[in-house]
Amino acid sequence: MTMWQVDGWQPSYGASFAAPQGPSAPAETKVALDCEIAAGAWAGRDAAPDVRRPDVVLLVDGVRRIDATLWSQEPDGATFPALAVSYAAGVVRCDLGAGRAELVGATVRRGLFTASPTAQPLVTGHVSYPVVHARGAVTIDKLPAAVQSPLTGLEIEVSDQQRVDGDLLVLDGPLRRRDHVRTVGFAKTHERDYLPPEQRTVTTGLAAGQRTPVFQLGPGQPYSWYLRLPGGGGGPWAGVIRVECPGERSTGAAIALADLSQVTLPGLASVSYKDPRAPQNLAPVAGLERRLRALLGDSRLLRRSILLATRAGARS
């Protein structure tokens, strides 16, 4: 008889395991499973009693919003799509001893993302959307992906401004070129399963606060491990996040970061009555996202100003 379990996330946010074939969808990369212990000896690992959580944790995240979709009118009659995008990145500093979190850095930027060879900046009163050339994005469905690189660059910029040696830096999402010491990234949505069946059952059998042994996603690729946060409800992947650190680190350094994440991240997990993506959307990150979205400005006013600017340009 098939047994069903309800995914803990609200349906409007998708599912915590988003692989097209569900948990059985394998990754194409062959991972190294013997980094911490032998693959055949895998089991859920409890937090080591001698590992102390850091005093300060910095969490970094970014948000984006499409303010308008536009179409160019080229001199030769061709047309190209464009997206007027507002995006922002910020850092929240969590003093774990004092139980206090504060926004310590945030930057907002905008861009007109398009493959149009003749595009000019879009200026709407006091707001400007500089042209960001999205090479190859000649169809509307490819443009949103072009925003990721500038957003990642902005996240790196704001985190570099706030980073202090000894702090743990936690990135909401994969590392994407970010390789500071004591830096981990985490994925709350699983788009693929990196483990073969025997080790996969270790992941789905984790208790709250436990993690898998460390594995590596391929030669030179990040080290990674799965960690189950408390409060995930039902479902084999409920509350499970995948954490990673740079592959350039030694195996010992990766294991130390895995231990550090295990005594730190469960205490930052969100709760379902406050966040529809609980517990994977860490509570400080959820607050940071709300603040950053507010800094983007009123989307209705921005869209209206874009409409007025384009109509004025058409008449000139």
Side-chain angles (χ1 to χ4, degrees):
M1 178 184 295
T2 299
M3 297 182 62
W4 297 98
Q5 293 176 310
V6 178
D7 193 285
W9 288 15
Q10 292 295 325
S12 59
Y13 285 90
S16 55
F17 201 108
Q21 302 173 38
S24 63
E28 296 180 0
T29 304
K30 184 174 178 59
V31 303
L33 299 172
D34 299 333
C35 297
E36 187 170 2
I37 61 174
W42 266 45
R45 301 182 69 82
D46 294 313
D50 59 339
V51 177
R52 177 178 174 272
R53 74 179 186 182
D55 296 325
V56 173
V57 178
L58 299 177
L59 295 105
V60 182
D61 196 14
V63 299
R64 70 185 86 180
R65 186 187 66 208
I66 297 174
D67 295 330
T69 301
L70 303 94
W71 296 90
S72 72
Q73 297 180 17
E74 304 295 322
D76 62 358
T79 186
F80 289 87
L83 297 179
V85 179
S86 296
Y87 59 101
V91 181
V92 60
R93 181 182 188 273
C94 295
D95 186 329
L96 300 183
R100 182 175 61 250
E102 60 178 336
L103 180 69
V104 293
T107 302
V108 176
R109 289 189 182 153
R110 309 185 199 275
L112 182 66
F113 291 79
T114 182
S116 167
T118 64
Q120 298 295 317
L122 177 62
V123 181
T124 66
H126 298 294
V127 177
S128 177
Y129 293 83
V131 174
V132 181
H133 289 287
R135 295 179 180 176
V138 295
T139 57
I140 192 69
D141 59 307
K142 293 183 178 180
L143 277 175
V147 185
Q148 185 57 58
S149 182
L151 179 56
T152 297
L154 185 57
E155 291 176 1
I156 294 172
E157 181 181 319
V158 297
S159 60
D160 284 347
Q161 293 170 355
Q162 303 299 329
R163 186 68 188 268
V164 176
D165 288 343
D167 291 344
L168 176 65
L169 183 67
V170 178
L171 310 169
D172 186 356
L175 292 172
R176 292 196 182 99
R177 311 192 313 269
R178 296 169 286 193
D179 58 356
H180 296 288
V181 176
R182 286 171 66 92
T183 296
V184 297
F186 75 95
K188 51 180 173 276
T189 301
H190 307 290
E191 297 180 351
R192 57 185 61 86
D193 183 10
Y194 290 95
L195 302 176
E198 183 179 351
Q199 286 73 32
R200 185 190 309 139
T201 58
V202 174
T203 303
T204 57
L206 292 173
Q210 286 188 323
R211 68 170 177 87
T212 66
V214 172
F215 56 96
Q216 192 170 16
L217 301 180
Q221 297 301 307
Y223 290 98
S224 191
W225 56 95
Y226 289 98
L227 169 66
R228 190 183 296 275
L229 303 176
W237 290 88
V240 175
I241 59 175
R242 186 180 63 81
V243 193
E244 64 181 32
C245 72
E248 292 80 8
R249 302 284 175 264
S250 67
T251 301
I255 294 171
L257 279 172
D259 287 338
L260 195 62
S261 73
Q262 190 175 11
V263 299
T264 304
L265 299 184
L268 301 177
S270 54
V271 292
S272 58
Y273 67 87
K274 289 185 177 181
D275 195 311
R277 291 174 290 170
Q280 289 100 316
N281 198 38
L282 301 181
V285 172
L288 176 59
E289 288 175 342
R290 289 192 295 271
R291 179 58 178 156
L292 292 176
R293 289 192 181 101
L295 292 175
L296 294 181
D298 190 304
S299 60
R300 294 168 299 179
L301 293 178
L302 285 168
R303 178 174 172 78
R304 182 174 182 273
S305 66
I306 291 171
L307 285 170
L308 293 175
T310 54
R311 287 171 183 172
R315 290 194 299 266
S316 62

